[in-house]
Amino acid sequence: MKTTITTTFLALLSATMAAPAPQASTTTTTTAATPLPTYGPFTLTAINHNNLNIQFASVNARDTRFWIGKTTHAGCPGGPYPCDIYGNKTTLQTQDPPARLEMFGSVPAGQFVYIGPKGALRFTEPHHESDPLPAGSTLGPFTVEKGENGGLLQLYGPGAFMACTEKKANGEPKEIDGKVFYQVYVDTNGFSKEGCVEFDMLAVNGTAAGAAFEYL
């Protein structure tokens, strides 16, 4: 999707995307650009100039899936962990090789991002790192590269990112607080949903501050 960012937004994001943070953990390229070997932590901003519900919206993790229009669902078990230092911001990181994407958190063994057998962008449950993924799932590849949006860094996967609404009985899209929400899919792995909107995802450089201990 070829899009053009406004000068104001370019200036804003350029200021927040200085040098990538050194810590990262698990991405090969799906485009002609050279992927960053490691990148993170970063947050995701959706770009689709033709849809105001999507344009500049944050992409959040919730219920082992990714959403536009829903808040992050995060947790911290307490006990030996100082939960007051953690937040609920959906934060990710990559590393290349092996061209994978994972949640930026502190839960032991981490949480990997994968694409489900019908194209849903998902992440593993905490403390279930040894569980097999659903049959037909893939771990990417995912990379962070300079993209078409004014050269800003973007997250790329093995197919286009798609935002899909959930429908009411009357066929209208479901809403939260009067706003349409979308589940994020990747156009691969048997993706066949209709009425979805393609969009880009900017990888906005961030810090560990505000990241969750674990994502639920």
Side-chain angles (χ1 to χ4, degrees):
M1 181 195 307
K2 292 184 178 294
T3 52
T4 303
I5 299 292
T6 63
T7 302
T8 300
F9 189 68
L10 269 175
L12 176 62
L13 282 183
S14 295
T16 63
M17 297 173 62
Q23 183 181 0
S25 204
T26 33
T27 85
T28 215
T29 183
T30 58
T31 71
T34 302
L36 298 182
T38 59
Y39 188 70
F42 63 87
T43 59
L44 293 171
T45 297
I47 296 295
N48 182 307
H49 293 289
N50 298 316
N51 189 311
L52 295 180
N53 290 318
I54 295 176
Q55 180 76 334
F56 302 154
S58 60
V59 178
N60 295 322
R62 187 179 187 88
D63 302 327
T64 71
R65 293 164 173 81
F66 289 87
W67 306 85
I68 296 171
K70 286 189 176 185
T71 58
T72 301
H73 187 192
C76 180
Y81 301 105
C83 293
D84 58 315
I85 70 172
Y86 297 102
N88 64 344
K89 183 187 297 183
T90 296
T91 312
L92 303 99
Q93 58 189 10
T94 62
Q95 185 174 0
D96 179 33
R100 290 182 185 173
L101 178 65
E102 67 177 33
M103 309 306 295
F104 186 89
S106 297
V107 63
Q111 293 177 264
F112 285 94
V113 177
Y114 68 97
I115 303 168
K118 294 185 179 180
L121 189 64
R122 303 196 59 178
F123 58 94
T124 56
E125 296 182 52
H127 314 292
H128 287 263
E129 64 279 354
S130 61
D131 291 358
L133 296 179
S137 300
T138 58
L139 287 169
F142 294 101
T143 58
V144 171
E145 307 168 18
K146 286 188 176 180
E148 297 174 342
N149 289 290
L152 297 177
L153 295 176
Q154 289 182 215
L155 177 68
Y156 288 93
F161 292 110
M162 309 296 292
C164 304
T165 58
E166 295 183 2
K167 302 294 185 182
K168 301 177 184 177
N170 62 3
E172 293 295 318
K174 292 182 179 179
E175 299 178 345
I176 296 177
D177 297 330
K179 292 185 177 181
V180 176
F181 63 89
Y182 303 81
Q183 185 178 345
V184 177
Y185 288 79
V186 183
D187 191 3
T188 187
N189 285 14
F191 173 78
S192 62
K193 291 183 71 68
E194 298 180 354
C196 300
V197 179
E198 182 179 345
F199 71 102
D200 291 336
M201 284 208 274
L202 297 185
V204 183
N205 186 45
T207 67
F213 178 87
E214 61 187 12
Y215 300 88
L216 304 172

